Structures are given as structure tokens and as C-alpha cells.
Amino acid sequence: MTRFSSAISAAFLVFLVSGCSKASIPSEQDNPDPTPGTNTGTNPGTSPGTNTGGNKSGLTPPQQSDWNAIEQLEAQSKALAVIDGCPSSSDCRSAPVGSRACGGPRYYIPYCAKTTDSVALYKKLAEVSAAEQAYNKKYNLASTCEFRMPPVVESSAGSCVAK
């Protein structure tokens, strides 16, 4: 019976490790936005979050093309997130961006509720999330499963920034 238990444990471990060894969506820690608190830029790095014009991430051309489409939606979302015009921190908010394979957003962007069309922003962010969920499913991706809390946002010189 002990050999059987050991064999089952070993098989489960192999299954668990193989599921985690697949390519993953970039995380905020892996590819932080180069300009936190702004509404421009893309996630740099050498994984799918890269927008360098070339495939330096080891992705297949179709996978890179699909990821580039997600990046375009993400850039459109960031353009809608206005950070200026908030003299009070109580008007600053953060919005979730993307959808990690294990669930939850990749990161959050700050925005000013007074100067941002929140309905348009969240509509575009829903498109990003749906596209990334489809991408994750299509390419059978895995990610870490930690829960990412929204950042505390505050007004600094009239602009909303993440602490």
C-alpha cells in the first residue's frame, strides 16, 4: 500500500509541475509598467507583454500576433484612464487590467474619477480581460495563483498615482 501511495503522490507531483511549466502571461512583477501612475506605455520585457515589433519572447508568430492585439486593447484602455484633474485623493481610483490564467487582473491602473469616462474605461478593460481569457485558454497557459490587491491611490500635485 505504501508503494501505491508513493506512486500516486509522484504522479500528482508530475502533473502539478507540468501544468506550471507552460508559458505564462507576464505578471506585474515580471514586467512592471515603466511609468507607474501614467496612462501611457506598454509592459516591457521579453515575454508576451512586449511590444518591440519583433518576437523576442519565444512565442510562435500566431501567439505573438494574438498578444499584440491584446496590447493594442490595453493601450486604448490606458489612453482612457485620465490621471490628472484630481486635487483630492478621494477622487482617485484604480482599475484592473487583463486576466491572468489563474484568475484576477495582471495589474491595476490609477485614474481620476472626476476626469475619466469610467464607463468607457471599464468597457474597454472588459474587452482586454475577455481577449486575455481567450488567449490563455487558446494557448493553455498557466500562471501563479496569488491574489493581487488593488493599490492604494492618492492625489499628488493633482494627479492620481499608485502608492
Side-chain angles (χ1 to χ4, degrees):
M1 191 73 162
T2 310
R3 284 186 185 174
F4 181 72
S5 296
S6 296
I8 294 295
S9 296
F12 179 72
L13 183 61
V14 168
F15 172 75
L16 186 64
V17 171
S18 68
C20 294
S21 66
K22 295 177 178 156
S24 64
I25 296 294
S27 70
E28 183 178 11
Q29 289 88 12
D30 295 338
N31 297 310
D33 191 323
T35 50
T38 64
N39 62 353
T40 61
T42 58
N43 291 339
T46 56
S47 53
T50 305
N51 189 11
T52 59
N55 185 351
K56 297 181 182 179
S57 61
L59 300 177
T60 64
Q63 190 173 5
Q64 185 67 50
S65 177
D66 289 348
W67 185 255
N68 290 344
I70 293 169
E71 282 187 320
Q72 287 177 350
L73 290 171
E74 189 173 333
Q76 293 167 8
S77 298
K78 287 180 179 182
L80 294 170
V82 179
I83 62 168
D84 298 324
C86 273
S88 171
S89 292
S90 64
D91 294 317
C92 293
R93 309 277 189 274
S94 65
V97 179
S99 179
R100 297 170 60 234
C102 197
R106 277 185 284 123
Y107 65 98
Y108 293 82
I109 56 172
Y111 70 96
C112 176
K114 280 184 151 182
T115 56
T116 298
D117 180 348
S118 298
V119 172
L121 173 62
Y122 274 85
K123 183 177 178 182
K124 187 58 70 173
L125 288 170
E127 289 179 40
V128 175
S129 181
E132 196 163 348
Q133 287 173 3
Y135 178 90
N136 293 341
K137 185 174 181 179
K138 179 178 181 178
Y139 296 106
N140 196 29
L141 300 182
S143 69
T144 58
C145 296
E146 74 271 3
F147 183 73
R148 293 196 175 156
M149 295 294 296
V152 173
V153 290
E154 65 183 7
S155 179
S156 175
S159 295
C160 294
V161 294
K163 279 183 157 181

